[in-house]
Amino acid sequence: MQTYLVGGAVRDKLLGLPVKDRDWVVVGATPEVMIEQGFKAVGKDFPVFLHPETKEEYALARTERKSGKGYKGFTFHTSPDVTLEEDLRRRDLTVNAIAEDEKGNLIDPYGGEADIKQGILRHVSGAFVEDPLRVLRIARFAATLGFKIAPETTRLLKEISASEELETLVPERVWTEMEKALSGKYPARFILVLRSCDALKKLFPEIEALFGIPQPEEYHPEIDTGLHTIMCLNQSVRLTSDSMIRFAALVHDLGKATTPANELPSHHGHEARGVKIIGKLCKRYRIPNKYHELASCVSKFHLDCHRIQEMKPTTVLKKLEQLDAFRRPERFEQFLIACEADARGRAGFEDRDYPQAEYFINALKTANAVDTNALQEKGIEGKTLGEEIKKQRIENIKQMMSQIS
């Protein structure tokens, strides 16, 4: 019986990244032997055990065979005779098919260490095409590691996309991979990789539809809405590590793909359509409500934010109320960052200031400065109190504007 550290833990160790989860493979053992040594069996599909002290996962070395559709359509074979090399061969990428023994020696039969040094994502074997989830995993690794994909692996990704296997993916798994990608250093690569292997149009047709949609003339029309979206996502990375804001930046313009032929790209009727499309996307992949709500706010109101300095005090207050800024100031700040990412997501605008954000925040602060206690002490209450608060908030915003001008 021999135990090896495998997978992401070894990869991240070689990359100098913090190791979050450690997985182990046990060669030459049986379930009975593991239980005798105090391990707790937890695997349903194949033998996985929890260490009695560390609670880390230890899996018996295994091989697998495709037996049905989807990433769950596999049968597994475990035996004390299964070798470490056979277990590593069933893994997706060479960078994930490296093991480390108890003395720290690497076992790397498929050249994973060399691919790590060269920054390449390469499949281990032709069995790669049997698991459709690998399309998303490769795109996610491209987003988190910044690695390039080997040409021969891209061909296999296209082969998976051309099949009907992507349709078998469980919605939650699709979102899990997307959320991890959004948290990475290069989330735009997740979208670009999926597009390069023809998977984007199957998994996220709403985003695919943006490519080829023209931008308004004042925003470099040679950069279509798809490229603008990628630029917005890249700008959001510069501004924040918040994956909710990055998601909002990614989907804020989905309504533009439904712009009628007789409507100019500069018209603003796409916001409401975008909110509906975002709702359908979030429902399909069971994306958490907090992502859905912020993305909907950005889709509906980002153009208002860009023009906020041109609005009357009454309109500014109305927008603050529509954005629920008084009750949810943290989400309001997330909204502003997403709007800034949109404003900067154009050629030549990448490093420009976005004074609208500070202006909008100051409007909220000055509107919040109304002393409601003082009004109540005067005996004002009920509907009259609400009207007086609104009146004073408008006056405060008006004074703020006069001071700026």
Side-chain angles (χ1 to χ4, degrees), residues 2-17:
Q2 293 176 296
T3 301
Y4 301 89
L5 183 66
V6 293
V10 181
R11 179 198 68 228
D12 290 345
K13 195 173 179 182
L14 290 172
L15 285 167
L17 300 173

Side-chain angles (χ1 to χ4, degrees), residues 354-365:
Y354 189 67
Q356 293 94 324
E358 184 178 0
Y359 186 93
F360 221 162
I361 287 176
N362 286 336
L364 176 62
K365 288 179 179 178

Side-chain angles (χ1 to χ4, degrees), residues 89-223:
R89 183 176 176 78
R90 68 175 177 77
R91 297 173 184 271
D92 53 1
L93 298 169
T94 60
V95 299
N96 295 329
I98 310 170
E100 181 182 284
D101 66 19
E102 295 172 345
K103 296 182 180 179
N105 300 310
L106 294 182
I107 298 88
D108 181 20
Y110 306 108
E113 186 176 15
D115 282 341
I116 286 176
K117 290 179 179 178
Q118 295 179 52
I120 294 176
L121 299 173
R122 192 192 315 275
H123 64 283
V124 175
S125 74
F128 177 88
V129 298
E130 296 175 349
D131 185 354
L133 184 62
R134 288 173 172 173
V135 173
L136 286 163
R137 280 173 56 82
I138 300 299
R140 186 247 295 179
F141 283 128
T144 55
L145 300 178
F147 284 13
K148 296 180 180 179
I149 303 173
E152 60 270 27
T153 301
T154 297
R155 286 194 289 271
L156 294 186
L157 291 173
K158 288 183 177 181
E159 185 177 329
I160 297 173
S161 297
S163 72
E164 297 179 356
E165 288 280 305
L166 290 178
E167 286 81 348
T168 67
L169 291 171
V170 175
E172 290 87 350
R173 288 307 303 267
V174 176
W175 170 244
T176 295
E177 295 299 328
M178 186 180 209
E179 186 175 30
K180 289 179 180 177
L182 288 169
S183 299
K185 289 184 177 181
Y186 316 97
R189 294 193 181 191
F190 180 76
I191 301 301
L192 295 175
V193 168
L194 292 180
R195 189 161 192 259
S196 70
C197 69
D198 304 321
L200 189 66
K201 61 186 177 183
K202 287 193 171 185
L203 294 171
F204 302 101
E206 305 91 341
I207 300 174
E208 173 68 34
L210 296 176
F211 291 90
I213 300 296
Q215 283 283 93
E217 290 186 8
E218 64 267 28
Y219 296 141
H220 295 270
E222 69 274 10
I223 297 175

Side-chain angles (χ1 to χ4, degrees), residues 110-370:
Y110 306 108
E113 186 176 15
D115 282 341
I116 286 176
K117 290 179 179 178
Q118 295 179 52
I120 294 176
L121 299 173
R122 192 192 315 275
H123 64 283
V124 175
S125 74
F128 177 88
V129 298
E130 296 175 349
D131 185 354
L133 184 62
R134 288 173 172 173
V135 173
L136 286 163
R137 280 173 56 82
I138 300 299
R140 186 247 295 179
F141 283 128
T144 55
L145 300 178
F147 284 13
K148 296 180 180 179
I149 303 173
E152 60 270 27
T153 301
T154 297
R155 286 194 289 271
L156 294 186
L157 291 173
K158 288 183 177 181
E159 185 177 329
I160 297 173
S161 297
S163 72
E164 297 179 356
E165 288 280 305
L166 290 178
E167 286 81 348
T168 67
L169 291 171
V170 175
E172 290 87 350
R173 288 307 303 267
V174 176
W175 170 244
T176 295
E177 295 299 328
M178 186 180 209
E179 186 175 30
K180 289 179 180 177
L182 288 169
S183 299
K185 289 184 177 181
Y186 316 97
R189 294 193 181 191
F190 180 76
I191 301 301
L192 295 175
V193 168
L194 292 180
R195 189 161 192 259
S196 70
C197 69
D198 304 321
L200 189 66
K201 61 186 177 183
K202 287 193 171 185
L203 294 171
F204 302 101
E206 305 91 341
I207 300 174
E208 173 68 34
L210 296 176
F211 291 90
I213 300 296
Q215 283 283 93
E217 290 186 8
E218 64 267 28
Y219 296 141
H220 295 270
E222 69 274 10
I223 297 175
D224 67 20
T225 303
L227 292 177
H228 163 63
T229 296
I230 295 299
M231 295 173 73
C232 290
L233 185 53
N234 285 335
Q235 287 299 317
S236 73
V237 174
R238 293 179 62 186
L239 296 169
T240 181
S241 61
D242 188 333
S243 58
M244 289 173 57
I245 297 174
R246 295 178 178 188
F247 177 73
L250 173 64
V251 301
H252 79 283
D253 263 350
L254 292 187
K256 284 185 178 178
T258 61
T259 300
N262 63 346
E263 184 177 301
L264 295 175
S266 58
H267 288 179
H268 305 310
H270 69 270
E271 297 100 319
R273 297 193 295 270
V275 171
K276 290 183 179 179
I277 296 171
I278 290 169
K280 291 179 180 179
L281 171 63
C282 290
K283 183 178 181 180
R284 186 167 79 247
Y285 289 125
R286 297 170 192 172
I287 297 172
N289 285 335
K290 60 183 180 179
Y291 282 84
H292 179 195
E293 291 174 357
L294 176 62
S296 295
C297 280
V298 176
S299 176
K300 188 173 183 179
F301 295 109
H302 66 279
L303 295 178
D304 289 324
C305 188
H306 297 339
R307 303 192 305 264
I308 194 65
Q309 293 164 302
E310 305 166 14
M311 295 181 180
K312 298 177 180 179
T314 53
T315 308
V316 172
L317 178 61
K318 180 181 177 181
K319 296 304 174 184
L320 288 171
E321 291 171 342
Q322 290 175 324
L323 286 163
D324 204 10
F326 294 102
R327 292 195 310 120
R328 304 181 68 176
E330 291 181 1
R331 193 186 70 176
F332 179 61
E333 291 183 14
Q334 290 175 308
F335 163 81
L336 294 175
I337 295 172
C339 291
E340 182 172 355
D342 173 47
R344 290 184 173 190
R346 301 177 176 90
F349 288 73
E350 295 90 344
D351 297 310
R352 290 196 182 184
D353 291 333
Y354 189 67
Q356 293 94 324
E358 184 178 0
Y359 186 93
F360 221 162
I361 287 176
N362 286 336
L364 176 62
K365 288 179 179 178
T366 193
N368 263 328
V370 173

Side-chain angles (χ1 to χ4, degrees), residues 66-87:
K66 185 74 169 175
S67 59
K69 286 189 175 182
Y71 71 96
K72 290 186 176 181
F74 293 90
T75 55
F76 300 92
H77 169 68
T78 60
S79 164
D81 297 329
V82 176
T83 66
L84 176 64
E85 287 74 13
E86 288 175 321
D87 182 273

Side-chain angles (χ1 to χ4, degrees), residues 3-13 17-26 39 48-51 53-59 91 98 100-104:
T3 301
Y4 301 89
L5 183 66
V6 293
V10 181
R11 179 198 68 228
D12 290 345
K13 195 173 179 182
L17 300 173
V19 176
K20 297 178 181 178
D21 300 309
R22 302 200 304 172
D23 294 318
W24 305 83
V25 161
V26 182
F39 286 81
V48 177
F49 304 84
L50 295 183
H51 191 282
E53 295 177 2
T54 66
K55 307 303 179 185
E56 292 175 337
E57 289 191 358
Y58 285 66
R91 297 173 184 271
I98 310 170
E100 181 182 284
D101 66 19
E102 295 172 345
K103 296 182 180 179

